[in-house]
Amino acid sequence: MLAIAAVVAVVCWLAVTLYAVVTATAVALLLAALLAPGVEWLVGKGLPRTLAAAVVLVGGLAAVGGVLTLVVTTVIRGLPGLQEQIGHSVEATHQWLQHGPLQLSQGQLDQGLERLTTTIRNSEATLTSGALSTASTLLGFLTGLLLVLFTLFFFLRDGRKIWDFVLRVTVPGSVRARVDVAGLRSFASLVAYIRATAAVALMDAAGVGIGTAFVGVPLSAVLAALVFLGAFVPYVGSMVTGTVAVLVALVTTGPFPALVVLAIVVGVMQLEGHVLQPLILGHAVRLHPLAIVLGITAGFILAGAVGAVLAVPITAILNAAIRSLVLEHGETVAADPTDTDEAQVPATSAQASGSEESR
């Protein structure tokens, strides 16, 4: 137990010390789980693996670039109308503060505005340092993005070779075949998780996007894209991005449309929590909702937003690996809901290679 605790402590220390590298590798592994089936399909069609990995990677970048272009174009196109609606909302709020229940005088409003202006001026140094910090963070983000793309390409092209090398240098030969099977099933569980999460996120985004467009909230496409990204953090992400949609509706269209958007967001969240998550995500990865929430909370405390995003995939990988390792060597894992045909075929070859080593 002391030896295991020491190993875990060293691994955690290395992960904290090499935080940028570990994060980039983890994100690349998630994207590899999403894109690897496409590479295998192209290889099955006769395309060389290097070319297949390049085609899938470029295609993925083109898809992401297209979505970002659509979002930015929508924001720029809707910015004049958004400014006008915000101006009307500010004027309506000003009238309500004067003639509503608060009955504030013009002098009180001017005094409050002057205090706000003074506070902003006094915080000029803080805002400037924050802008410089944001620029530094942006530079670090771009560097990490390049590392993610570089790592992702080699994961897509040489994933099996990298895994075999890790097995040879870290796992004794007597248990190598079992660890190989557990690793393959963990990756199959990760693939199933990514697919299921993307399906749930797409349904959430469609519900919020259509609902906000029906109510008349501007930038509904941007809000839908934001909900899609937030849904990759189960339960928590949808709540946060849905709150943003309600606030945008409150600022731009008024209280009653904001209440309608709130009802839409609550309905989408209920649909996700009680229908989509159990049917789609629960079928792909056997994780209790309590384990998901606790994992997200622990990930956020330890590593911020990145930890919250990676918490559930890591939990799913560990769940599949442990469930595979606790079985006897000769058993199958048909009872495991994460098993797919993709996982069973490589597992058989891994067992065969283990028997060859023993001979």
Side-chain angles (χ1 to χ4, degrees):
M1 292 295 292
L2 289 175
I4 293 174
V7 171
V8 172
V10 170
V11 171
C12 292
W13 176 79
L14 287 175
V16 173
T17 305
L18 303 175
Y19 175 78
V21 177
V22 172
T23 302
T25 305
V27 173
L29 185 61
L30 286 178
L31 296 176
L34 180 64
L35 300 177
V39 175
E40 297 301 327
W41 182 81
L42 291 177
V43 170
K45 295 296 183 180
L47 212 62
R49 180 168 290 274
T50 301
L51 183 58
V55 168
V56 170
L57 183 58
V58 172
L61 289 176
V64 173
V67 172
L68 291 178
T69 302
L70 176 63
V71 169
V72 172
T73 304
T74 305
V75 171
I76 294 175
R77 192 175 300 167
L79 194 58
L82 181 62
Q83 291 175 340
E84 183 179 355
Q85 289 179 331
I86 291 177
H88 290 322
S89 298
V90 171
E91 180 64 26
T93 304
H94 184 273
Q95 294 295 329
W96 182 83
L97 290 174
Q98 277 189 305
H99 306 292
L102 298 179
Q103 295 291 323
L104 297 179
S105 64
Q106 184 63 39
Q108 291 174 318
L109 293 176
D110 293 338
Q111 185 179 6
L113 182 60
E114 183 179 354
R115 288 179 180 176
L116 179 61
T117 305
T118 303
T119 302
I120 294 176
R121 288 175 180 172
N122 294 335
S123 304
E124 184 176 355
T126 304
L127 294 176
T128 303
S129 62
L132 295 176
S133 176
T134 302
S136 176
T137 303
L138 181 60
L139 181 61
F141 171 78
L142 293 177
T143 304
L145 180 61
L146 291 177
L147 181 59
V148 167
L149 295 177
F150 187 79
T151 307
L152 175 60
F153 174 75
F154 286 103
F155 276 172
L156 294 175
R157 194 189 74 170
D158 302 322
R160 181 66 210 189
K161 294 178 182 179
I162 295 173
W163 173 241
D164 289 339
F165 173 77
V166 172
L167 284 178
R168 284 197 303 270
V169 300
T170 59
V171 180
S174 58
V175 295
R176 192 171 296 159
R178 291 186 64 188
V179 176
D180 188 15
V181 173
L184 292 170
R185 292 198 174 108
S186 297
F187 188 73
S189 175
L190 183 61
V191 172
Y193 167 79
I194 292 296
R195 289 176 177 175
T197 304
V200 173
L202 185 61
M203 295 179 186
D204 288 351
V208 174
I210 294 173
T212 52
F214 177 78
V215 174
V217 178
L219 306 179
S220 57
V222 177
L223 294 176
L226 187 63
V227 170
F228 177 79
L229 296 176
F232 279 89
V233 182
Y235 301 108
V236 179
S238 299
M239 179 178 65
V240 174
T241 53
T243 302
V244 173
V246 174
L247 292 177
V248 171
L250 179 62
V251 171
T252 57
T253 58
F256 181 74
L259 289 177
V260 176
V261 173
L262 177 62
I264 293 172
V265 170
V266 171
V268 169
M269 290 178 59
Q270 292 298 316
L271 180 65
E272 176 190 349
H274 297 287
V275 179
L276 299 179
Q277 292 279 0
L279 290 182
I280 301 178
L281 197 59
H283 178 72
V285 182
R286 185 181 295 176
L287 286 177
H288 194 277
L290 180 60
I292 294 177
V293 174
L294 291 179
I296 293 173
T297 305
F300 184 78
I301 293 174
L302 295 175
V306 175
V309 173
L310 298 179
V312 179
I314 291 175
T315 306
I317 290 174
L318 293 176
N319 177 53
I322 293 172
R323 288 173 59 83
S324 179
L325 289 174
V326 296
L327 297 176
E328 295 297 329
H329 180 64
E331 289 187 43
T332 61
V333 289
D336 193 329
T338 64
D339 288 331
T340 59
D341 294 337
E342 295 101 323
Q344 291 170 359
V345 174
T348 305
S349 63
Q351 292 174 352
S353 63
S355 62
E356 289 177 1
E357 287 185 3
S358 62
R359 287 199 297 271

